[in-house]
Amino acid sequence: RRNREGSEMYVCEQCCDDSYSYCTDCGRYVKNEEGTDSTFDGDWRCYECLDDSGYYMYCAGCDTYCRECDMLYSESRHEWFCPDCYEEDDDTVIHSYHSGHKGGLQFFELPHERAQNQQLYFGIELEVEDIVDRYDIETIAEETLQVLDTELWHCENDGSLTDGCEFISQPMTFEYLNSPRIERKIKSALALLSSKGARSYDTSHCGLHFHVSRAGLTPQAIVNLLVMTTRFKEVVFKLSRRTETNFQRWSRAYDEITELTPAIKSGIKDDTIPYCNFDRYCMINLTNRATVEFRFFRGTLNPDSFYGSLNFIAFLVSYSLECETESDITSSMQDFILKAKNYSSVLKNFMEKVGL
């Protein structure tokens, strides 16, 4: 049996076995020549899903369809590759999009946290653009990384930026990010970027994104995060410091994409909804396998805004873990704002600065 665009065609079982294959994405039986099992997981998919969904790309190395989120662009070869086929140039300062840290993923915490079996880590992506001709973005990136520490940060290209790049951190605990040594490095790097003419707030493209490890969250906490950011999206919008146009483009509220139904909540809790079924460009991006990404902040080189934003994410995570069910989340905006202000003096000052 074959379904296509609402129509149905019935074939006998023998013909179905000989001439048709089942697409694991769209759930249709499709003619064998209209799809392939040359995919990252070996599952058979039709070309319509592979080419038109936007979730897959073709690797120029192994002739296999892979997830778009795993693909890496080679600046020297000018083609896209899967992680197994990708090779990075050794002297590159700004690496390819989604290439990751050359030293691999490492987790950083303070010594006393190691004995606590810490699972909650924060990763940061800060996008910047270069608007001063006398400095090139490679030079800016190299000097900034020297201040930040290349063990903790690396730099990648991002096609959404104009003559820009994004600085990406290794996963760190909240306490580690707030330690005097790391705070001093981050604030010095932000000052250096400003002095070199880089911009993050004063552009229409740049954002400040935070990733939180899924391992440190419960499924209920993830649902709680969706509920509270949707319920208090006016607060989130003010703290984002984005224009309405940019907020809608890069970080829409979840309920503006689809209704947060009981079935979706249940699917998140049971981990039965494929990650690719979520929309990346919303306040909370659930398309990543290992992290939950908060995308709503406008970029900034202001240290108070940077650390204020980090503290708001830490508050959301803490509150989401505190609430055992959605019904435990306050329904009062004023109560929510008060809870946030009581979380830390840094967050209190940041919220008051934006008029909350």
Side-chain angles (χ1 to χ4, degrees), residues 118-131:
Q118 178 63 246
Q119 296 291 317
L120 192 61
Y121 293 88
F122 295 76
I124 302 170
E125 298 175 1
L126 174 62
E127 299 171 341
V128 302
E129 291 182 338
D130 175 24
I131 63 168

Side-chain angles (χ1 to χ4, degrees), residues 13 15 36 45 55 103 107 124 159 200 208 269 329:
E13 187 174 345
C15 288
T36 181
R45 291 175 173 86
Y55 296 124
F107 295 81
I124 302 170
S200 189
L208 172 62
K269 293 175 187 177
I329 301 171

Side-chain angles (χ1 to χ4, degrees), residues 174-334:
F174 180 69
E175 195 170 346
Y176 188 88
L177 279 163
N178 283 277
S179 64
R181 182 176 72 91
I182 300 303
E183 184 175 345
R184 186 166 56 250
K185 285 178 177 290
I186 290 175
K187 290 183 175 180
S188 296
L190 295 175
L192 175 63
L193 285 166
S194 294
S195 71
K196 296 293 185 181
R199 294 290 182 269
S200 189
Y201 179 87
D202 298 319
T203 75
S204 58
H205 306 111
C206 295
L208 172 62
H209 305 162
F210 294 94
H211 288 259
V212 175
S213 52
R214 282 180 179 263
L217 299 169
T218 63
Q220 180 63 58
I222 295 175
V223 172
N224 291 345
L225 287 168
L226 291 176
V227 170
M228 67 178 67
T229 52
T230 300
R231 182 176 296 171
F232 304 115
K233 58 186 173 184
E234 294 88 353
V235 175
V236 175
F237 173 67
K238 271 208 164 186
L239 289 172
S240 77
R241 307 176 320 286
R242 287 189 183 270
T243 64
E244 282 196 37
T245 300
N246 276 358
F247 192 80
Q248 288 296 318
R249 180 181 180 185
W250 302 112
S251 52
R252 291 177 294 171
Y254 194 86
D255 65 345
E256 294 172 8
I257 299 169
T258 186
E259 184 182 357
L260 189 57
T261 62
I264 290 177
K265 294 177 184 177
S266 177
I268 293 172
K269 293 175 187 177
D270 299 338
D271 198 24
T272 55
I273 301 179
Y275 297 133
C276 62
N277 284 17
F278 295 104
D279 192 303
R280 176 184 176 191
Y281 296 107
C282 53
M283 288 194 293
I284 297 181
N285 171 22
L286 298 180
T287 64
N288 302 303
R289 289 166 292 167
T291 67
V292 171
E293 180 187 18
F294 299 82
R295 296 182 50 87
F296 44 80
F297 289 116
R298 189 171 181 166
T300 185
L301 301 181
N302 182 311
D304 293 336
S305 297
F306 182 95
Y307 270 95
S309 301
L310 172 61
N311 272 257
F312 183 61
I313 299 304
F315 160 71
L316 289 176
V317 169
S318 175
Y319 190 29
S320 72
L321 290 166
E322 175 187 322
C323 298
E324 295 183 0
T325 67
E326 302 101 275
S327 60
D328 294 330
I329 301 171
T330 181
S331 58
S332 164
M333 183 179 297
Q334 290 306 312

Side-chain angles (χ1 to χ4, degrees), residues 85-102:
C85 297
Y86 176 79
E87 295 178 5
E88 183 66 89
D89 297 327
D90 289 338
D91 59 350
T92 300
V93 175
I94 303 177
H95 298 281
S96 300
Y97 185 59
H98 279 181
S99 59
H101 195 284
K102 290 184 71 173

Side-chain angles (χ1 to χ4, degrees), residues 94-148:
I94 303 177
H95 298 281
S96 300
Y97 185 59
H98 279 181
S99 59
H101 195 284
K102 290 184 71 173
L105 195 64
Q106 299 179 62
F107 295 81
F108 291 85
E109 67 273 302
L110 295 178
H112 75 270
E113 294 180 292
R114 290 174 190 149
Q116 301 171 359
N117 193 26
Q118 178 63 246
Q119 296 291 317
L120 192 61
Y121 293 88
F122 295 76
I124 302 170
E125 298 175 1
L126 174 62
E127 299 171 341
V128 302
E129 291 182 338
D130 175 24
I131 63 168
V132 178
D133 291 338
R134 67 179 181 273
Y135 297 111
D136 66 86
I137 193 64
E138 284 270 345
T139 300
I140 292 174
E142 185 173 15
E143 293 183 10
T144 304
L145 286 174
Q146 289 174 358
V147 174
L148 283 171

